[in-house]
Each structure stands twice: as C-alpha cells, then as structure tokens.
Amino acid sequence: MTERVSVLETKNLVMRFGGLTAVNDFSISVPEGSIVGLIGPNGAGKTTAFNMITGFYRPTEGQVIFQGQDITGLPPHEVCRAGIARTFQNIRLFGNESVLQNVMIACQVRQKLPWWHAPLFLPGYFREEKEIREKSLALLDAVNLRSHADERAPSLPYGAQRRLEIARALATEPKFLLLDEPAAGMNPQESIELMDFIRSIRQRFNLTILLIEHDMKVVMGVCQYIWVLDYGVRIAEGTPEDIRSNPKVIEAYLGEEALEHA
Amino acid sequence: MNRTRDTILSLLLLGALGAFLWWADGHLDKYQIQVLNVVAINIILAVSLNLIYGFTGLFSLGHAGFMLVGAYVCAILILPASQKAATFILQPMMWPFSVMNAPFIVAVLAGGVVAAVFGFLIAFPVLRLGGDYLGIASLGFAEILRVVANNIVPITNGALGLKGIPKEANLWWNYGWCAVTLVVIARLINSNAGNVLKAIRDDEVAAKAMGIDVFRWKLISFTLGAFFAGVGGALLGSLLTTISPKMFTFLLTFNVLMIVVAGGLGSITGTVISGVFITILMEWLRFVEAPMHIGTMTIPGIPGMRMVVFSLALLCIILFRREGIMGMREWSWSGLFGLFGKRGEAR
C-alpha cells in the first residue's frame, strides 16, 4: 500500500478522556483513491478516531495530515472545507427540512457569495442558488432519491436516509469520505446494494473512502485494506485476506464462531 | 399558472392593505390608529425574535434590551435641543448628545445599528451557551442594559425618561419598516442561508460536519434580529412619545415571545397572523379590567386581568396546539385554496 500517494495520514493519535485512553497510538495512512476499513468490537475507539480526524475531538497527542497539510485541531467546519466529509453512526439528518434542502444545506460550504446578497435581492445570489439546487438534484439522482426531493427527510425509509446522508456529505465536494457504519440496520440485500453503491460513488466522485463497519460481508467485500482496533489499540492491519486469517483478530473480534469456520 | 395566480393575488392583497391604511389614516379615530401602529411594531419585534428563536433555535430573552437601545438612540437623535434642555432637570445632558440631531429615518436606522452592535458584542460570550442558559444570560443582559439606562443620567435622564419625543412614527413609517423587516427576513429564510440557519436549529453537530461555521451563522442571526428589535424599539419610542427604563422590563420580551410562540416557531406568516390577533385582542380585552356588573353583583376592576386572560390563552395554546397557529409551515395561496377546495388538493 505504499506505492500510491497517501491522502490522509494520522501519526500516533492519542485521545484521553480523563484517565481513560480511548485511542492510543493510532497511525494509519490511507492511499489516494482506495476504500479502506476500520473495524473492531464495540467501544474499541473507532468513532473516537473518526471524531479526531474530523475535528470534533482535539487529539491529546499526535497529528492528522490531510493532503500534506496538518489539520490537527482544526474545527469541524474547517476540516470539512479542507475536503473531508463524514456520515454518522446514528443518522443525523436535518429533521424539519426536505430531502432537497438537506443536500442544499451542505452545498453552503462551497458557496461563494455571502449571505447578505439574499435579502438585498442581488441577482448573482439567485443564479448561484439555482446552480446549488441543480447540483443537489443531480446528487439526489445519483443516490436514487430524486423522486423524494420534496418529502421531509425523516419520512424516508431507513436505507434511504443513509443514502441521503451520503448524498449530503458528497454535496460538500469532499476528497475524503468517512462512513460510520453505513450498513447498520440494513438487510443482506440492502448491504449488497450498499457495497455497489460505495464503489460507484468512489469512482464517480473520485473519492477516497474510510469506513467503520460491523457487517463483515460489507467490510471484506468492499475494503482493500483494513485496520483493526481493540481497546483503543491497533491490533492488526492488512488486506481482507490477512485480516480474515489473523488469529489475533479472530480472537479479539470475530470470536469463536469465526474460529469454527477457520 | 398557479404561480401567476399567486402573484396576482398577493399583489391584490398588498394593494388592499395599502388602501386600507390610506382609508384608516383619514377615517379611524386616534385610538384605533394607535392600535394599528402597535400591530406593525409588534410584527417587527416578533418576526425578528422568530429569526433568532424560531429559525436559528437560539432561546434569547434579550429583546427588551435591544429595543431599549434602539428607542433611546432614536429618541436622542430626534429630540429637539430645546426639549432636551427642558427634560433634563436633574443633570444637564452630556455634550455631544445634547446637540445631536438627525432626520427620523436616519434616527431609526441608527437605533437599529447601535442595537445590532450591542447584539454583536453580547453574542460573543452569550452564544457560547446553549439552550436555557442562553435564555438566562440574554435575559440578564437585557436587565443590565435597563439598569445602566436608569443610571447614566447625563445621557438617558435616568428614571425620569425622555419626554416629548416627536411623534414621527405614523402609519406609513411603521408599516413601511414592517414591510422592510418582513421582506429582508423572509428573503433570508427562504434562501439557502435560511436553510443553513434551520440546519443549525435542527442538528448542530451535523451542521458542523457539513462545513457550517455554526458560531458565525448564529452571530449573523442574532445580530440581524437585534437590528430589527432596535428598529422596533425606535418606532415604539416615537409612537408613544415618551420612554423610560421602566418600560423595557422582561414583560415586554414576554409579550413578543407570546406572539412568536402563538404564531408558530419557525413561521413568518404565523407570526404576522398572531401579531395582528394578539395585539388587537390585547386592546379589546381591556374591558375585563373594568368594573363589571353581573346581575346585581358588582365586581370591581382588576388591573392586570388582561395578562391573566392572556397567560391562560398561552397555556391553552401550549396544551392543545403546541406548534402554534402555523407550526413551521408558511401560509400560502395554494394552501388556502386547498383548505376550501377538494380534500385531495390540501397537500
């Protein structure tokens, strides 16, 4: 995995909450254009790692390097502006807004004209807003939600809400996308569709994707490289094949059931 | 086709309102005109609070403070020098203020701008807080302003207040400013900037992750709301021709808040409707404070009875229709036709 340029690199990230070390010495390097995974049992510190990368937590120690730039400790909105977008484990859509508005809101970060152009009826703002609307509709097209554009976001079925959250993240024009358990709550058929969907958006939007996932079918099926966390410590890394046969991983994470299969 | 129909109907409604104002100006008595003026000012105040509370989700109780700033700035600018000299009997007025003078429109604008500056400055400590804490902090800030106004006698004339303010806020000024407020805030709310404000209200964490500088947008909303609160206060001062710090207590914020909650948090048209209703009802209900004769019994007049009735009404709204008259929806022509037309068209 060293032949390609790494787009995101974390160097020895440590996150302590009081006496608890949630993540310790977390170093990964994500090659450009790849789909990689971060797995581990519940409470292993995966989401904490996400929160450090996206600026929600300020790491106690260590560095986050994105496209050669040190983004450690930047507030979340500036991390997003730099080109990192994320989704949430428990879906966080804007509940009182329509599906289209949800996507349009995320376009704001790339909007050039300041807000006061709107109340002053300056024509440029109308034009830009029309572009944003079209761009958002195109994104909804890409996730098969265009026909639901005017519905309120919470009225969508669960899987569609996940897709909307991804569309919303894509609207910020990211280079790097973090998906926190995208397959949670999906049935096997939906999971298979999700895998194709993740691959297709990577291709179409020229992304690098890092995902947290518990569904092993999805992780093994879609990721090219995987890191395994347990109790905040990285216990293994490698290709899906390596991980599958790694005894440490099987013991810590996949459990006895997996040992029987091995 | 619906669009042209709606535009035509909206223009007709605006024309009718204009004609009504023109007619009212010449035919209604002073008291009724005063009520109409208060309606316009209450709408300005309530819509600006709705921007802060209903659309951005900032539970601010500092409206009376911004109104106080606007009212004093405007009054000082339009009071003639002779009137100032006559009013300031405890201490003479401080120099630059004693000779300052400006036309009414400039004075109202200045009132709004200074209120906005106060809003901007107060926002830095206050907006770091969330939810109820923000409410308490902004309430405290409004009280501080009131106490300060009570004590800087060379500028505000202290507890005596300012008297003889020229009554320049007539129907046209008030409704003109009301229209400006509505257009500016409605345009903002219906643009993508408005979507961003609503996103912050709905889910701040998600908003941050979507690249929204939450603090900056809250600051914009808070400052703009403070600006229009200042404008409303300035108009109110000129309409009543006399102001004193005693006027700008929490009760004033409460009245505005009542209009906003009754109209629907997050609905501009709801605020307008409830602004009209509540202001008129407030005046009409004065009869409950007068002595009453029921059969042979005579109940003496109880001052403050109106507020009891109003508190009960608010209680009922919260119990039975928590989202207010309009909820988060906006009133529209198609909605109206849907209501009267076939059931199927209602959505």
Side-chain angles (χ1 to χ4, degrees), chain A residues 56 76-77 80-81 84 86 88 92-97 101 104-109 111 115 118-119 121 125-126 129 132 168-169 172, chain B residues 183-185 187-188 190-193 195-196 198-214 216-217 220 224 328:
Chain A
F56 280 92
H77 64 266
C80 177
R81 190 175 293 266
I84 299 181
R86 71 172 290 182
F88 293 90
R92 280 178 174 274
L93 291 169
F94 303 122
N96 290 309
E97 266 53 67
Q101 276 172 322
M104 284 177 70
I105 287 162
C107 293
Q108 185 271 328
V109 69
Q111 217 167 334
W115 65 275
F121 288 87
Y125 201 88
F126 289 87
E129 199 142 302
I132 284 176
R168 192 179 65 173
T172 65
Chain B
V183 167
V184 167
I185 293 182
R187 262 302 296 165
L188 182 70
N190 293 324
S191 73
N192 205 31
N195 289 340
V196 168
K198 294 178 217 163
I200 293 171
R201 172 193 67 193
D202 287 352
D203 193 326
E204 214 174 304
V205 171
K208 279 181 189 163
M210 291 305 116
I212 293 165
D213 188 346
V214 168
R216 184 173 159 265
W217 284 96
I220 290 170
L224 197 64
M328 277 191 189

Side-chain angles (χ1 to χ4, degrees), chain B:
Chain B
M1 198 195 95
N2 269 356
R3 218 175 175 164
T4 41
R5 179 200 72 186
D6 292 352
T7 321
I8 291 169
L9 284 172
S10 301
L11 286 176
L12 280 176
L13 187 69
L14 264 181
L17 275 176
F20 171 72
L21 284 183
W22 181 74
W23 173 82
D25 210 12
H27 291 77
L28 291 181
D29 63 39
K30 266 187 165 168
Y31 173 61
Q32 288 164 323
I33 289 179
Q34 186 82 351
V35 174
L36 280 180
N37 277 320
V38 177
V39 166
I41 293 173
N42 275 346
I43 291 175
I44 295 175
L45 296 171
V47 170
S48 62
L49 183 62
N50 208 348
L51 173 71
I52 298 175
Y53 183 26
F55 287 104
T56 323
L58 304 169
F59 183 47
S60 164
L61 296 175
H63 240 51
F66 300 131
M67 287 170 67
L68 178 143
V69 172
Y72 270 94
V73 168
C74 173
I76 288 171
L77 283 176
I78 58 174
L79 266 176
S82 56
Q83 180 65 33
K84 285 178 188 169
T87 314
F88 281 67
I89 44 174
L90 291 176
Q91 283 179 42
M93 201 176 191
M94 218 193 222
W95 166 66
F97 302 106
S98 58
V99 291
M100 265 182 187
N101 224 300
F104 186 56
I105 185 161
V106 177
V108 173
L109 261 178
V113 168
V114 177
V117 169
F118 271 85
F120 182 80
L121 294 178
I122 203 70
F124 281 90
V126 162
L127 288 187
R128 305 261 169 221
L129 304 167
D132 308 340
Y133 301 100
L134 170 60
I136 292 164
S138 54
L139 176 64
F141 148 75
E143 284 298 300
I144 289 171
L145 274 185
R146 197 170 61 83
V147 173
V148 167
N150 221 342
N151 286 290
I152 44 169
V153 180
I155 299 173
T156 62
N157 203 22
L160 294 178
L162 300 175
K163 288 187 207 71
I165 304 165
K167 190 169 181 167
E168 299 202 45
N170 56 21
L171 275 179
W172 300 109
W173 275 123
N174 288 333
Y175 278 89
W177 272 108
C178 183
V180 169
T181 311
L182 284 173
V183 167
V184 167
I185 293 182
R187 262 302 296 165
L188 182 70
I189 287 306
N190 293 324
S191 73
N192 205 31
N195 289 340
V196 168
L197 295 180
K198 294 178 217 163
I200 293 171
R201 172 193 67 193
D202 287 352
D203 193 326
E204 214 174 304
V205 171
K208 279 181 189 163
M210 291 305 116
I212 293 165
D213 188 346
V214 168
F215 183 76
R216 184 173 159 265
W217 284 96
K218 281 183 176 176
L219 192 65
I220 290 170
S221 163
F222 198 71
T223 309
L224 197 64
F227 173 82
F228 284 112
V231 167
L235 293 172
L236 190 66
S238 168
L239 180 71
L240 301 179
T241 70
T242 164
I243 52 174
S244 71
K246 214 166 50 191
M247 231 173 95
F248 300 95
T249 55
F250 174 64
L251 206 61
L252 196 61
T253 306
F254 177 75
N255 281 342
V256 179
L257 188 65
M258 183 162 70
I259 294 174
V260 173
V261 173
L265 288 169
S267 169
I268 293 175
T269 44
T271 305
V272 173
I273 294 169
S274 84
V276 173
F277 266 95
I278 289 187
T279 313
I280 292 178
L281 219 61
M282 199 85 128
E283 290 301 323
W284 179 71
L285 273 176
R286 277 188 195 282
F287 79 87
V288 298
E289 292 184 359
M292 264 183 284
H293 304 279
I294 302 173
T296 51
M297 257 198 338
T298 302
I299 303 164
I302 308 163
M305 199 58 193
R306 272 187 309 158
M307 285 321 288
V308 174
V309 174
F310 257 94
S311 302
L312 280 176
L314 195 63
L315 214 64
C316 287
I317 288 177
I318 287 167
L319 280 176
F320 299 114
R321 199 178 164 84
R322 182 167 299 172
E323 73 274 22
I325 298 170
M326 295 300 291
M328 277 191 189
R329 285 155 307 168
E330 294 293 348
W331 182 85
S332 67
W333 289 108
S334 26
L336 186 74
F337 283 113
L339 210 63
F340 292 121
K342 281 171 261 160
R343 264 301 190 208
E345 281 176 359
R347 286 285 148 123

Side-chain angles (χ1 to χ4, degrees), chain A:
Chain A
M1 298 296 282
T2 45
E3 64 271 21
R4 276 185 292 179
V5 199
S6 84
V7 60
L8 181 101
E9 215 178 321
T10 67
K11 289 182 181 165
N12 313 97
L13 283 182
V14 179
M15 188 73 225
R16 284 193 205 97
F17 297 107
L20 177 83
T21 306
V23 173
N24 200 3
D25 206 15
F26 180 70
S27 302
I28 61 171
S29 168
V30 184
E32 192 163 2
S34 60
I35 300 178
V36 293
L38 182 60
I39 63 171
N42 285 326
K46 308 179 296 291
T47 300
T48 307
F50 260 38
N51 283 340
M52 281 192 285
I53 294 170
T54 52
F56 280 92
Y57 294 155
R58 195 189 183 94
T60 319
E61 282 167 39
Q63 273 183 311
V64 184
I65 313 283
F66 178 63
Q67 293 183 320
Q69 235 187 321
D70 187 353
I71 60 161
T72 324
L74 283 185
H77 64 266
E78 278 175 36
V79 173
C80 177
R81 190 175 293 266
I84 299 181
R86 71 172 290 182
T87 64
F88 293 90
Q89 188 175 353
N90 42 347
I91 302 173
R92 280 178 174 274
L93 291 169
F94 303 122
N96 290 309
E97 266 53 67
S98 74
V99 169
L100 176 64
Q101 276 172 322
N102 262 278
V103 182
M104 284 177 70
I105 287 162
C107 293
Q108 185 271 328
V109 69
R110 304 291 169 210
Q111 217 167 334
K112 286 175 203 79
L113 296 175
W115 65 275
W116 47 264
H117 282 236
L120 293 182
F121 288 87
L122 297 181
Y125 201 88
F126 289 87
R127 228 175 295 128
E128 195 179 32
E129 199 142 302
K130 209 174 153 225
E131 283 167 23
I132 284 176
R133 179 175 295 268
E134 274 156 19
K135 177 183 153 191
S136 304
L137 283 171
L139 277 169
L140 287 179
D141 240 350
V143 298
N144 266 327
L145 285 173
R146 186 165 183 153
S147 52
H148 301 277
D150 292 325
E151 287 168 31
R152 278 181 67 227
S155 71
L156 292 178
Y158 193 77
Q161 290 194 22
R162 288 246 173 241
R163 290 208 306 276
L164 175 57
E165 223 193 358
I166 293 174
R168 192 179 65 173
L170 291 174
T172 65
E173 296 176 18
K175 292 269 177 296
F176 190 70
L177 183 62
L178 296 112
L179 304 175
D180 200 344
E181 297 199 24
M186 287 188 174
N187 62 36
Q189 179 57 36
E190 283 175 323
S191 301
I192 291 168
E193 285 169 15
L194 180 79
M195 280 156 59
D196 291 334
F197 176 64
I198 290 175
R199 281 193 210 100
S200 76
I201 58 168
R202 192 208 70 78
Q203 198 70 33
R204 182 163 168 190
F205 297 96
N206 210 2
L207 294 168
T208 309
I209 297 174
L210 170 61
L211 54 94
I212 291 177
E213 189 49 70
H214 279 301
D215 187 331
M216 280 307 128
K217 265 211 191 86
V218 173
V219 177
M220 298 297 170
V222 81
C223 294
Q224 295 153 333
Y225 201 80
I226 295 168
W227 288 272
V228 188
L229 276 184
D230 193 17
Y231 293 109
V233 182
R234 190 187 59 202
I235 56 167
E237 62 176 295
T239 60
E241 289 72 37
D242 297 340
I243 297 299
R244 209 176 267 142
S245 54
N246 188 318
K248 253 179 149 175
V249 177
I250 297 170
E251 186 195 325
Y253 183 61
L254 299 177
E256 282 171 36
E257 192 192 337
L259 276 170
E260 282 161 24
H261 284 286

